[in-house]
């Protein structure tokens, strides 16, 4: 199976789940939960390129080197049939990830960020999945001030600290742009 996770590059995969079970992955093999050991071959691709197509995918299927999920994040899985390991059939596969890289205009770097101001700016300027605003239509000074406010460190009453605001989730292109902005 090839499971598209995001139509863009991601920073990295944090966790992969079969139904409610978090997988422990060593190389390309699932080692835990034990029932999946030696039953699952897995490759996590954070950015599809012509040089990182899973070799097992090409050698075991009709997939060729011409099939490139360019700049897309995906999971390649090969499951060995085992009624005890997969009593309900093919599992529901989900993933947690550090997602899309966005331009942080404060440093002029494109990096993974969960800063709401930088994510909203990215959504506004993205011409494929966002609103396609031009740089001239964006007030970077205001976005940078908001980003700095979001990054303020807040001391927690129970100990430790965290950023004042973060944005963690997905943008659903089936929603209206207004609904996506409200959610962000």
């Amino acid at each position: 199976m090839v499971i598209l996770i995001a139509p863009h590059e991601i920073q990295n995969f944090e966790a992969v789940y079969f139904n409610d079970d978090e997988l422990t992955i060593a190389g390309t093999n699932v080692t835990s939960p034990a029932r999946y050991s030696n039953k699952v071959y897995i490759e996590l691709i954070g950015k599809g390129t012509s040089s990182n197509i899973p070799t097992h995918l090409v050698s075991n299927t009709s997939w060729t080197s011409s099939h490139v999920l360019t700049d897309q994040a995906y999971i390649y899985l090969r499951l060995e049939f085992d009624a005890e390991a997969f009593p309900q059939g093919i599992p529901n596969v989900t993933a947690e990830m550090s997602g899309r890289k966005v331009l942080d205009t404060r440093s002029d770097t494109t990096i993974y960020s969960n800063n709401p101001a930088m994510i909203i700016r990215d959504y506004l300027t993205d011409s494929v999945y966002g609103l396609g605003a031009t740089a001239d239509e964006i007030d970077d000074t205001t976005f940078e001030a908001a980003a700095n406010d979001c990054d303020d460190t807040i001391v927690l009453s129970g100990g430790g600290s965290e950023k004042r605001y973060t944005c963690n989730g997905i943008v659903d292109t089936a929603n209206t742009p207004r609904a996506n902005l409200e959610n962000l």
Side-chain angles (χ1 to χ4, degrees):
M1 294 185 290
V2 175
I3 303 168
L4 183 66
I5 297 297
H8 52 74
E9 175 184 5
I10 64 166
Q11 179 71 21
N12 65 303
F13 287 90
E14 303 288 337
V16 178
Y17 299 87
F18 281 4
N19 300 320
D20 294 327
D21 295 327
E22 183 175 354
L23 305 180
T24 301
I25 302 167
T28 57
N29 297 303
V30 173
T31 58
S32 176
R35 70 178 172 275
Y36 301 130
S37 186
N38 299 315
K39 305 283 186 237
V40 178
Y41 177 91
I42 186 168
E43 287 193 47
L44 308 175
I45 309 296
K47 178 182 180 180
T49 67
S50 60
S51 64
N52 71 351
I53 299 169
T55 55
H56 283 87
L57 177 60
V58 174
S59 63
N60 293 307
T61 70
S62 58
W63 197 280
T64 72
S65 59
S66 298
H67 298 100
V68 179
L69 295 171
T70 304
D71 296 335
Q72 298 180 37
Y74 63 96
I75 298 173
Y76 168 61
L77 285 172
R78 191 177 71 226
L79 309 175
E80 180 181 318
F81 175 76
D82 184 315
E84 290 180 27
F86 305 104
Q88 284 91 31
I90 296 173
N92 181 39
V93 181
T94 57
E96 291 179 18
M97 69 201 100
S98 297
R100 182 179 172 102
K101 295 179 180 182
V102 299
L103 173 64
D104 188 329
T105 57
R106 298 171 295 173
S107 62
D108 263 349
T109 56
T110 300
I111 57 173
Y112 165 73
S113 176
N114 63 359
N115 183 295
M118 292 295 105
I119 292 170
I120 290 170
R121 184 193 181 285
D122 181 74
Y123 182 73
L124 291 173
T125 59
D126 186 281
S127 60
V128 176
Y129 299 106
L131 298 177
T134 64
D136 294 340
E137 297 174 296
I138 302 294
D139 179 0
D140 281 332
T141 303
T142 300
F143 274 97
E144 289 168 6
N148 289 336
D149 288 343
C150 292
D151 282 344
D152 282 346
T153 300
I154 304 301
V155 177
L156 302 173
S157 61
S161 63
E162 66 184 13
K163 291 182 180 181
R164 182 179 301 273
Y165 301 109
T166 62
C167 181
N168 302 287
I170 61 169
V171 171
D172 186 343
T173 57
N175 293 338
T176 65
R178 180 182 181 136
N180 281 330
L181 282 171
E182 288 172 355
N183 288 334
L184 291 170

